Amino acid sequence: MPELPEVETVRQGLAQWVIGRRIAAVEVRHPRAVRRHAPGGAHFADVLAGRTITGVCRRGKYLWLPLDSGDAVIGHLGMSGQLLLQPVGAADELHLRVRFRFADDGPELRFVDQRTFGGLSVSEGGAELPAEIAHIARDPMDPEFSDEAFVTALRRKRTEIKRALLDQTLISGVGNIYADEALWRAKLHGARPTDALTRPAALRLLGHVRDVLAEAIKQGGTSFDELYVNVNGESGYFDRSLNAYGREGEPCPRCGAPIRREAFMNRSSYSCPRCQPRPRGTLRG
């Protein structure tokens, strides 16, 4: 699942190519791609024809494109969604779901999604912030994110640290990969109770979250397969900088102990058994 760095990389690419361009026509090639748009695919295409894209914004893992009508196109990449810029006339991708053609006859925007877990919809009056995603918390790269409010809310929760980091109503954009990487840097096990964290420790953890995300954005995100690419079809390379995630049995870059993998919410967590000891009294995955 693309996390904040991957979605931000796509946002930056789109901003270079689509802002100020008028949509000439939209072709919906698979109804699942617009299943969140209740009026259906034909309405989705009709309401966008003739509209100009005025920006490209992000909240957590969601993108939205404000329009001159005051509406917005919301996009979520799901597991395998891609937003690609392709020359007019370029061969269609096997899993092309939606095509945007522009009035300037320049590169068209394509939504490609192999597994069709992602999707697009139109938010009426959602140019400023679509109501559909207003419940999602700000992310730590947002200038209006409040460190103090986050730390206070985190320490009031009665849950495990990693579960809290994945709570999109508390802090958005952080997924399994970057949570593990931030926890490794902070020398904290993900099962540590949030209400046992001191305020300085919580602030240090937040700093590591922010650093990991910033570094991953600079490297175009993390690509483990061909399903995540930027708007030009290029893979990210932050996977070369991972210290814990996906490195089961490999030596910890800090102490040399073999990285462990533990079951976590139908996924896996990766940590160092020496640098990140499991809290006493917690069950092993």
Side-chain angles (χ1 to χ4, degrees):
M1 177 77 74
E3 301 179 27
L4 184 153
E6 292 76 45
V7 180
E8 175 61 17
T9 298
V10 171
R11 188 203 68 77
Q12 291 176 5
L14 289 175
Q16 296 177 27
W17 286 98
V18 304
I19 294 176
R21 298 179 70 193
R22 184 165 62 86
I23 300 169
V26 177
E27 177 188 2
V28 177
R29 297 169 60 93
H30 196 297
R32 250 186 84 75
V34 294
R35 65 191 178 281
R36 296 183 182 90
H37 187 76
H43 181 271
F44 179 85
D46 289 345
V47 79
L48 293 179
R51 300 270 62 95
T52 296
I53 297 172
T54 60
V56 183
C57 307
R58 181 184 55 75
R59 174 63 67 92
K61 303 174 189 179
Y62 282 85
L63 292 165
W64 80 93
L65 280 59
L67 305 170
D68 61 347
S69 61
D71 298 337
V73 180
I74 303 175
H76 192 275
L77 300 179
M79 292 292 291
S80 59
Q82 302 170 350
L83 285 164
L84 304 175
L85 273 298
Q86 296 283 31
V88 175
D92 289 350
E93 294 79 5
L94 177 62
H95 302 290
L96 175 61
R97 306 307 186 193
V98 181
R99 184 199 320 271
F100 293 77
R101 292 191 174 93
F102 294 93
D104 59 12
D105 293 323
E108 58 188 37
L109 176 61
R110 299 179 180 184
F111 180 62
V112 177
D113 192 358
Q114 177 179 323
R115 300 178 184 175
T116 62
F117 291 155
L120 305 175
S121 60
V122 174
S123 174
E124 185 176 347
E128 189 69 25
L129 174 63
E132 295 87 341
I133 60 175
H135 66 285
I136 297 173
R138 294 185 183 275
D139 66 72
M141 311 310 288
D142 189 319
E144 297 187 36
F145 182 90
S146 171
D147 292 14
E148 291 298 331
F150 166 76
V151 167
T152 298
L154 176 70
R155 297 179 65 217
R156 282 178 178 168
K157 291 181 97 45
R158 294 187 177 274
T159 186
E160 299 175 352
I161 296 176
K162 184 170 179 181
R163 289 178 182 269
L165 290 178
L166 301 183
D167 181 352
Q168 302 297 296
T169 64
L170 177 66
I171 181 172
S172 69
V174 182
N176 206 34
I177 297 173
Y178 301 111
D180 279 358
E181 289 299 300
L183 289 166
W184 180 86
R185 294 189 184 199
K187 298 183 180 180
L188 294 172
H189 191 282
R192 180 172 294 227
T194 51
D195 57 357
L197 270 184
T198 65
R199 181 177 172 279
L203 283 170
R204 283 195 299 271
L205 173 61
L206 177 58
H208 289 303
V209 169
R210 191 173 275 128
D211 289 344
V212 167
L213 295 176
E215 291 170 25
I217 291 169
K218 288 181 181 178
Q219 297 182 44
T222 302
S223 298
F224 288 112
D225 53 37
E226 70 281 0
L227 294 183
Y228 164 68
V229 293
N230 65 17
V231 299
N232 299 313
E234 301 163 338
S235 297
Y237 52 92
F238 189 69
D239 57 296
R240 304 173 192 172
S241 302
L242 295 173
N243 291 301
Y245 185 87
R247 300 186 68 241
E248 181 184 10
E250 297 180 31
C252 169
R254 188 165 45 216
C255 75
I259 294 292
R260 68 184 160 199
R261 180 178 66 85
E262 300 174 285
F264 174 78
M265 296 173 62
N266 297 318
R267 287 172 282 184
S268 295
S269 282
Y270 298 87
S271 60
C272 173
R274 186 177 299 160
C275 299
Q276 301 168 266
R278 172 175 277 277
R280 293 180 181 179
T282 58
L283 296 175
R284 296 185 180 275

